[in-house]
Each structure stands twice: as C-alpha cells, then as structure tokens.
C-alpha cells in the first residue's frame, strides 16, 4: 500500500518565533490525524529548530531546496551534508518557483536528485505544466519530459526514496485548482509513464501528491481520486487549523 502524505511548503514565510508558534499549534492539532504521513518544509534558518520542536511527534521535516555539490565555493548555498547534519532527511527539489525564478533546469535537478539520494535522503520531486502548455494540449508531453529528463535516470532501487508532486504552475498560489478529474487524469498518466520506463510495481508504490491551491474546502475531493496520494500545500500550510484539516481529509 502506498503512503498517503500531506506536506506543507512554507516557502519564504515565518521567522524563528512565528515558526515556533505554528509548530506548537500543529503538534496539538495534528495529534489526532492518522492515516497520513505529515511533513513540514520550513526555510533553511528554521530547519534545526523545527527538527528540535518536532522531536517525539510524528511530523517530519523537509528542506525546500539544496545545492548539488558536496561542498565548496558556492556562496549562499546549502549542501545535503548540512541538511542531514541537523536531522533533515527529506528535500523538495524542482519546485516551479525554483525552476521559474532561479533558473533550475531538468539537467540541474537530475544532479540535485543524485546528490540527495547519495546522502540517503528522500526527495519530493516537483514538476508540472504551465498554463500555455495546457491550453496548447502539451501538458502530458511537458510533464513526461520533466520526469524523463530530471528523474528517470535513477536506478529502480532508488524509487523507494522518491515522492512525486504534480503541481500545475497555473494552479500554484492562484486560487485556481485543477479539478479532481484533471488531477486524476495526470496522476494516472504519470503512473503509466513510470510503469513504461520501470515496472508496474514501482509505479504502483510511489506516492504522487497534487499541489496547487489545495485548501480544507477542496482537499477531500482531490485526495479521494484513486491516483492522488495526498498534497503539497503552500499557502494553506501556514495556518495550523487549515493544514490539520487538510491532513485529516483522507
Ligand atoms: P499553493 O502552493 O498551495 O499556495 O498553491 C503549492 C506549492 O507551491 O507547493
């Protein structure tokens, strides 16, 4: 049985004190949630304090990004070793904001994936088409390309450390959500694509999250779809009550 997962991507929000408040609210509200793995992804400066704050809870911690190199002269960057040294075992790679604003390409992401896996980390690999791609009916092709060029070089055995997050760019932070049918259609396509390049068992086992304006009001409907295994939540993850409601939507 593949895992149900709800991950909160805090992006560049919450200073140390605000993150502490959100975490303690989350811990009390998420106590009752079962059936889904819960992950929070605060910014770099809050990672260590978040790991500390969540000790003994069942909430896991992810970074939002990392550099592909082991170490060296890369001013402002953070390595996999630095993340694992503070107890962070998961990293989000390929978020559309990293691709769009920081020029991250499929080739670069392939390197980052390799580095994260080499350090025994779990990767939440994000991808998704832009509005023009969908309008021109190229969305399946774009998604297939992002997967094949950024991820499908990994060995079959590495898939146990991969979570996928399909996030159509037109639905991120816009209030516009893919319909449950659109999400299901793409998730089924993703699973089929994995099956064709790897095996049916790998395709069946990997959790595929949907992301893009998921809220308490629409989460249950989206998560009910057969190939949707949870969500990557942005805006709504900044509010403990809303995030807990989403995590409890299965
Ligand atoms: P959103 O962001 O929920 O605010 O649309 C999702 C994401 O970027 O992961």
């Amino acid at each position: 049985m593949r895992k149900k997962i709800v991950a909160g991507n805090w992006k560049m929000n919450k200073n140390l004190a605000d993150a502490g408040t959100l975490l303690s609210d989350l811990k009390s509200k998420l106590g009752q949630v079962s059936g889904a793995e819960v992950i929070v992804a605060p910014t770099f400066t809050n990672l260590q304090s978040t790991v500390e704050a969540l000790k003994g809870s069942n909430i896991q911690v992810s970074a939002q990004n990392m550099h592909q190199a082991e170490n060296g002269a890369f001013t402002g960057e953070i390595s996999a070793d630095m993340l694992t040294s503070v107890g962070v075992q998961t990293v989000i790679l390929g978020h559309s904001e990293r691709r769009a604003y920081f020029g991250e390409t499929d080739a670069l992401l392939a390197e980052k994936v390799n580095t994260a896996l080499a350090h025994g980390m779990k990767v939440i690999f994000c991808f998704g088409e832009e509005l023009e791609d969908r309008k021109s009916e190229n969305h399946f092709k774009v998604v297939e390309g992002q997967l094949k060029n950024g991820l499908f070089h990994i060995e079959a055995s590495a898939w146990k450390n991969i979570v996928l997050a399909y996030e159509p760019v037109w639905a991120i932070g816009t209030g516009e959500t893919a319909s449950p049918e659109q999400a299901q259609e793409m998730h089924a396509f993703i699973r089929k694509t994995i099956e064709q390049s790897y095996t049916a068992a790998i395709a069946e086992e990997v959790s595929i999250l949907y992301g893009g304006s998921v809220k308490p009001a629409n989460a249950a409907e989206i998560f009910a779809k057969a190939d949707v295994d949870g969500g990557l939540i942005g805006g709504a993850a900044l509010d403990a009550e809303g995030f807990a409601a989403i995590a409890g939507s299965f």
Side-chain angles (χ1 to χ4, degrees):
M1 259 287 275
R2 54 181 181 259
K3 272 190 209 149
K4 305 284 187 196
I5 300 170
V6 171
N9 174 11
W10 295 4
K11 307 191 180 183
M12 198 174 75
N13 294 293
K14 305 285 178 190
N15 64 17
L16 182 63
D18 296 341
T21 306
L22 176 54
L23 289 168
S24 63
D25 289 350
L26 273 181
K27 276 204 289 187
S28 62
K29 297 218 157 51
L30 282 170
Q32 303 90 322
V33 173
S34 63
E37 191 172 300
V38 178
I39 301 172
V40 292
T43 193
F44 285 132
T45 54
N46 292 332
L47 284 173
Q48 191 170 5
S49 60
T50 300
V51 168
E52 286 299 320
L54 294 178
K55 270 203 180 122
S57 85
N58 49 9
I59 307 171
Q60 297 178 32
V61 185
S62 172
Q64 300 174 15
N65 179 35
M66 55 160 246
H67 196 269
Q68 66 277 17
E70 287 300 320
N71 53 41
F74 301 103
T75 301
E77 291 292 333
I78 306 285
S79 72
D81 176 55
M82 290 166 187
L83 294 177
T84 57
S85 75
V86 297
V88 174
Q89 297 294 340
T90 304
V91 63
I92 296 172
L93 295 176
H95 191 279
S96 69
E97 287 149 20
R98 300 292 321 168
R99 293 175 188 260
Y101 308 145
F102 303 97
E104 296 200 1
T105 60
D106 292 334
L108 174 76
L109 291 168
E111 285 185 55
K112 290 193 176 198
V113 165
N114 289 345
T115 304
L117 293 175
H119 283 262
M121 297 180 76
K122 250 195 223 159
V123 174
I124 302 174
F125 187 82
C126 306
F127 53 93
E129 83 281 3
E130 300 196 23
L131 187 57
E132 304 80 75
D133 303 322
R134 189 161 274 268
K135 281 190 176 153
S136 59
E137 295 183 4
N138 276 320
H139 45 299
F140 292 114
K141 225 167 123 202
V142 167
V143 161
E144 186 178 356
Q146 289 170 324
L147 286 171
K148 291 199 165 159
N149 298 325
L151 189 65
F152 278 17
H153 60 284
I154 65 170
E155 288 183 19
S157 62
W159 275 91
K160 60 180 186 304
N161 287 320
I162 303 288
V163 171
L164 298 179
Y166 166 60
E167 301 201 298
V169 178
W170 48 272
I172 295 178
T174 58
E176 190 155 341
T177 323
S179 69
E181 291 71 29
Q182 284 173 320
Q184 168 57 28
E185 183 185 35
M186 183 58 87
H187 284 220
F189 170 78
I190 294 161
R191 236 180 265 291
K192 189 97 218 136
T193 307
I194 299 168
E195 182 179 338
Q196 282 160 359
S197 293
Y198 290 89
T199 65
I202 288 174
E204 193 50 41
E205 267 308 296
V206 67
S207 297
I208 310 179
L209 315 185
Y210 167 79
S213 300
V214 176
K215 305 179 230 12
N218 60 22
E221 214 188 351
I222 299 170
F223 296 172
K225 290 294 176 190
D227 287 295
V228 179
D229 305 308
L232 181 55
I233 320 300
L238 299 173
D239 167 63
E241 195 159 332
F243 187 63
I246 292 170
S249 293
F250 292 95

